[in-house]
């Protein structure tokens, strides 16, 4: 199975509202808990995200959703991973890293429930850094703030000469 997780092709395309039922029906338990702790309903949260942000769906070659993710205008990155990611972790990390590194954004950021250690490890593989721990009211849960910065922003442009 390790070999398959290395060679599985992950397709990334723009997400649509019609992708939500398949993703919501197979969310990782940790993701469901994160949404629950924050007081969010998964389907409504994903619908809001898809309608308001630049959003994408990562899926296996046979079309099974691995993750719905997106980025707001301000650079806030979010993701909703499915159980399928556990079958192809290495392939997904590689695909996500390639995709994230192609983005022309000076900064990406968000907060992650401190108890979601697998997501924190994953996001570190993508080059994000944990910069702070904060208490979230009123639940008094703790979150880590994460950030990814690009050095040399904005990208250098060649001057025609």
């Amino acid at each position: 199975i390790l070999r398959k997780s290395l060679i599985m092709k992950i397709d990334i395309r723009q997400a649509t509202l019609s992708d939500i039922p398949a993703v919501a029906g197979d969310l990782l338990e940790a993701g469901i808990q994160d949404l629950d702790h924050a007081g969010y309903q998964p389907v409504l949260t994903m619908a809001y995200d898809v309608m308001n942000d630049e959003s994408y769906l990562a899926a296996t070659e046979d079309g099974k959703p691995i993750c719905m993710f997106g980025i707001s205008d301000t650079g806030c990155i979010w993701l909703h991973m499915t159980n399928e990611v556990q079958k192809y972790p290495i392939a997904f990390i590689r695909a996500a890293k390639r995709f994230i590194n192609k983005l022309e954004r000076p900064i990406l950021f968000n907060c992650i429930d401190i108890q979601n250690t697998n997501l924190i490890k994953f996001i570190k593989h993508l080059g994000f850094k944990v910069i702070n721990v904060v208490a979230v009211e009123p639940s008094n849960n703790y979150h880590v703030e994460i950030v990814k910065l690009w050095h040399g922003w904005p990208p250098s442009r060649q001057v025609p000469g």
Side-chain angles (χ1 to χ4, degrees), residues 30-42:
I32 294 169
Q33 290 173 0
D34 282 355
L35 291 168
D36 186 51
H37 288 159
Y40 296 132
Q41 199 282 337

Side-chain angles (χ1 to χ4, degrees), residues 75-131:
C76 181
I77 190 166
W78 51 265
L79 67 150
H80 304 288
M81 289 191 285
T82 70
N83 288 298
E84 201 70 19
V85 76
Q86 295 173 332
K87 297 177 186 174
Y88 311 106
I90 296 168
F92 178 60
I93 287 169
R94 288 179 177 172
K97 194 172 200 173
R98 278 191 306 272
F99 187 87
I100 294 289
N101 288 336
K102 288 180 184 176
L103 293 174
E104 292 192 6
R105 301 288 182 106
I107 184 172
L108 296 173
F109 66 92
N110 206 332
C111 292
I112 301 172
D113 189 317
I114 201 164
Q115 296 175 45
N116 196 341
T117 56
N118 285 332
L119 181 56
I120 295 168
K121 287 178 194 174
F122 166 72
I123 211 81
K124 285 181 176 182
H125 281 295
L126 300 182
F128 285 81
K129 304 290 183 209
V130 173
I131 60 168

